[in-house]
Amino acid sequence: MQTNTLSRLKFAKSALIASLTTLSFTIFDFASIAQAENAQVAPPPNLAVKAYILKDFNSNHVIASQNSSMRIEPASLTKIMTAYLSFKALKNGHLSLTQTLPVSEIAWKVEGSKMFIEPNKPVTVDELLHGMIIPSGNDASISLAEGIAGTEVQFADMMNKEAQRLGMKNTRYMNATGLPDAQHYTTADDLAILATALIHDFPEQYQRLYSIKEYTYNKITQPNRNRLLWLDPNVDGMKTGHTKSAGYCLIATANRDGVRRISVVLGAPTDAARATESQKLLNYGYQYFDTKLVYKKGQSINQLKVWKGNENQVASTVTEDLFVTLPKGEYANVKAVMSSVQPLIAPIKKGQVIGSVKFTLNGKAIDERALVAAKTIDGAGILGRAWDSIKLLMQ
């Protein structure tokens, strides 16, 4: 009799776990947001460039791309990583905006675009940032690199480690400027990751510097090479690049009615072409796609059953505002389905992954995000845990 009872309990436990691990249910319906009518989406424009990618900043959704994983020479787009590490040094207190840095002979004599710093003339970190970002000064880039890491070679090592941390899987840096080197390369995909990270991680510095149209240093005034700052009032950055081998490149970002898009255009034939092709790409994204906020950071999404805890439920939430990008008119056809870790057993720490939400459009998965615990749930006492153990077996 005892053996039969134990067998039934073991069978019940196995059946319970098998059923719970596949548990899912609809928790959000976009029908209230959009019309049920499907939108017709035109194909992306044909661009006279080697590679491109267009992403939504908030949802991180790729709207359009071509040859985006192809290895290319980044030219002065390299300076986005130099700026990223400079902003990081400012945030960590390793640099200050008013701090002066020495100008080495290497920085002074570097070829290419310059802000025209001079040896033995004090230059502040803030001036160097302006000189690197606006007129794309190679001399400013090297001075910042030397000020942070001691040498440009050591700074390049920092750049590569940061690229790995950010998930830039096909990027290698050899210098802080983007001057040609056979081992200095990246992709449109990786550049989009970097541009997104800079705006997300250092929004104040981005807003302060990247939309400035000209800069004067050493009595020399130079314009920002990003033509879109003059052509499109919604564009507020980001960076141009050019060498003979790389062609004309531009990372541009626009913010229209709170919707930010990032375009990366590489290998255009002329300065004018990189601007017009970037504008086509941004316009395409805004014309045919919408981005909606689905869940706010910290918002209680659903209550999940907790076993063996001092509380029997925990709210699921998201760690960042969760946006979804879709063709206009398609939100009526989107479903959000949540799956939870089962059985969910305490102790549970705040921020611990306890499930996921998957978005589907006409039955096809389009995005999936982790759900985390909104609060900590401590374990119950010995009796409480024992009783829940029995209930789990008997269900």
Side-chain angles (χ1 to χ4, degrees), residues 333-345:
N333 303 315
V334 173
K335 302 290 182 182
V337 177
M338 192 182 79
S339 298
S340 61
V341 173
Q342 292 291 346
L344 192 55
I345 298 175

Side-chain angles (χ1 to χ4, degrees), residues 89-393:
L90 287 168
K91 185 175 182 179
N92 293 339
H94 298 151
L95 288 180
S96 69
L97 290 175
T98 57
Q99 176 183 350
T100 58
L101 295 179
V103 177
S104 68
E105 189 169 339
I106 294 173
W108 178 48
K109 291 184 175 180
V110 67
E111 61 182 297
S113 54
K114 297 184 180 184
M115 72 173 285
F116 298 104
I117 52 179
E118 299 175 356
N120 304 318
K121 182 177 180 180
V123 58
T124 67
V125 169
D126 194 38
E127 289 171 326
L128 290 169
L129 287 170
H130 280 77
M132 176 179 67
I133 291 168
I134 302 162
S136 196
N138 290 337
D139 48 359
S141 301
I142 293 176
S143 287
L144 285 166
E146 292 174 340
I148 293 170
T151 68
E152 190 179 8
V153 171
Q154 291 173 315
F155 186 77
D157 184 57
M158 292 178 62
M159 296 170 80
N160 288 318
K161 289 177 179 177
E162 196 67 29
Q164 291 177 5
R165 188 189 69 82
L166 292 172
M168 300 168 65
K169 298 179 180 179
N170 297 297
T171 294
R172 180 174 174 80
Y173 293 109
M174 298 300 293
N175 57 61
T177 61
L179 288 172
D181 186 296
Q183 297 301 313
H184 190 93
Y185 56 81
T186 188
T187 66
D189 287 334
D190 282 0
L191 287 168
I193 290 172
L194 177 59
T196 300
L198 187 144
I199 298 171
H200 179 273
D201 296 347
F202 307 106
E204 297 85 3
Q205 296 291 357
Y206 175 78
Q207 293 167 11
R208 186 176 75 90
L209 292 166
Y210 278 88
S211 61
I212 299 174
K213 294 181 178 179
E214 64 178 25
Y215 181 60
T216 300
Y217 180 81
N218 211 5
K219 298 182 180 180
I220 301 170
T221 300
Q222 298 186 76
N224 193 316
R225 291 172 169 81
N226 183 0
R227 293 189 181 206
L228 290 186
L229 293 175
W230 284 267
L231 299 174
D232 186 340
N234 299 298
V235 170
D236 55 13
M238 174 178 247
K239 188 72 188 72
T240 60
H242 171 255
T243 63
K244 185 176 181 180
S245 51
Y248 290 86
C249 308
L250 173 61
I251 297 178
T253 177
N255 192 344
R256 299 184 189 179
D257 300 322
V259 177
R260 181 175 292 283
R261 300 273 157 77
I262 296 174
S263 67
V264 180
V265 165
L266 306 172
T270 65
D271 178 13
R274 69 181 170 191
T276 57
E277 301 301 79
S278 296
Q279 186 75 80
K280 289 178 188 176
L281 198 54
L282 288 169
N283 287 343
Y284 171 77
Y286 284 111
Q287 183 175 356
Y288 291 103
F289 291 83
D290 278 331
T291 297
K292 300 289 185 181
L293 174 64
V294 182
Y295 302 122
K296 289 188 67 65
K297 176 182 177 180
Q299 173 186 341
S300 177
I301 297 172
N302 199 53
Q303 295 290 329
L304 299 177
K305 171 64 178 175
V306 176
W307 298 91
K308 304 183 183 182
N310 64 345
E311 297 183 44
N312 59 15
Q313 286 188 324
V314 65
S316 66
T317 189
V318 285
T319 57
E320 297 284 348
D321 289 349
L322 197 162
F323 294 81
V324 172
T325 299
L326 283 172
K328 288 186 176 180
E330 288 285 4
Y331 281 92
N333 303 315
V334 173
K335 302 290 182 182
V337 177
M338 192 182 79
S339 298
S340 61
V341 173
Q342 292 291 346
L344 192 55
I345 298 175
I348 298 167
K349 293 182 178 180
K350 181 179 180 180
Q352 177 181 327
V353 174
I354 57 175
S356 66
V357 57
K358 179 182 291 185
F359 298 95
T360 62
L361 174 61
N362 300 322
K364 180 181 178 182
I366 56 172
D367 202 356
E368 186 171 8
R369 303 293 177 88
L371 294 175
V372 301
K375 61 183 291 186
T376 293
I377 305 293
D378 293 324
I382 294 175
L383 291 177
R385 293 184 68 82
W387 180 240
D388 271 3
S389 295
I390 294 171
K391 288 196 291 184
L392 275 170
L393 288 171

